[in-house]
Amino acid sequence: MELPKVGSIGEYIREQRTQAKISLRQLAAQAGVSFPYLSQVERGVRKPSAEILNQIAKGLRISSQALYVQAGLIDEREPDSDVLAAIRADITITGRQRQVLVDIYESFRKENKAAEKEGAQPTQPAEPLDAASLNGHATSEGYNLP
């Protein structure tokens, strides 16, 4: 999810607050910070700490990570894909096997991303496979298929 870039963290907080239709005083109360301090943050006079950003995020009911990225405290990263979530959730394989699968998957993604940056066209994403589409190329003994 690409976050919209604005001039400052204060502008971003103000934008989020106005979209949530809450007043500056309400947000200050919900976040547990003083009204004057929050006003200064929104105007760019003060730069909030990570702890204050966390409180403001709770008051806005948004991700702390979104504020950290906007404030430049952390780099934006892509969210885990469903594939990574499935690998990490699979308790039928060992931790080492999970890590190897994650490493292989990430290397493919990195390779395709590098190819895109160089202007080359990465291979087209394939359609998901199911056991029937393998047409006898794999057996349940060889690939643990149902």
Side-chain angles (χ1 to χ4, degrees):
M1 170 183 90
E2 184 73 21
L3 294 174
K5 298 298 179 194
V6 296
S8 71
I9 184 61
E11 290 176 33
Y12 183 77
I13 291 169
R14 182 183 304 120
E15 183 178 289
Q16 294 301 308
R17 181 179 57 75
T18 55
Q19 285 178 3
K21 294 180 174 43
I22 58 176
S23 72
L24 189 60
R25 286 192 190 280
Q26 288 171 317
L27 178 56
Q30 290 171 355
V33 298
S34 73
F35 170 77
Y37 180 80
L38 186 57
S39 175
Q40 291 173 347
V41 168
E42 282 196 1
R43 290 182 286 130
V45 175
R46 297 260 189 156
K47 185 175 180 185
S49 67
E51 185 177 327
I52 297 295
L53 287 174
N54 188 42
Q55 291 174 235
I56 292 170
K58 285 180 184 175
L60 290 170
R61 292 187 175 91
I62 63 172
S63 154
S64 297
Q65 182 181 359
L67 287 183
Y68 295 160
V69 168
Q70 194 64 43
L73 297 177
I74 61 172
D75 291 331
E76 187 171 7
R77 68 180 193 108
E78 291 182 25
D80 280 352
S81 71
D82 291 342
V83 172
L84 291 176
I87 291 170
R88 290 184 174 127
D90 190 341
I91 59 170
T92 63
I93 58 177
T94 68
R96 173 78 179 125
Q97 290 168 331
R98 281 193 294 273
Q99 189 57 52
V100 169
L101 286 172
V102 167
D103 291 345
I104 291 169
Y105 179 72
E106 289 295 345
S107 72
F108 287 147
R109 291 181 64 176
K110 186 176 179 181
E111 182 179 308
N112 287 347
K113 193 176 230 179
E116 285 176 6
K117 284 183 179 178
E118 292 173 5
Q121 192 69 0
T123 56
Q124 290 297 326
E127 292 296 317
L129 290 177
D130 61 357
S133 68
L134 293 173
N135 289 334
H137 294 285
T139 63
S140 60
E141 297 84 29
Y143 288 98
N144 237 5
L145 297 175

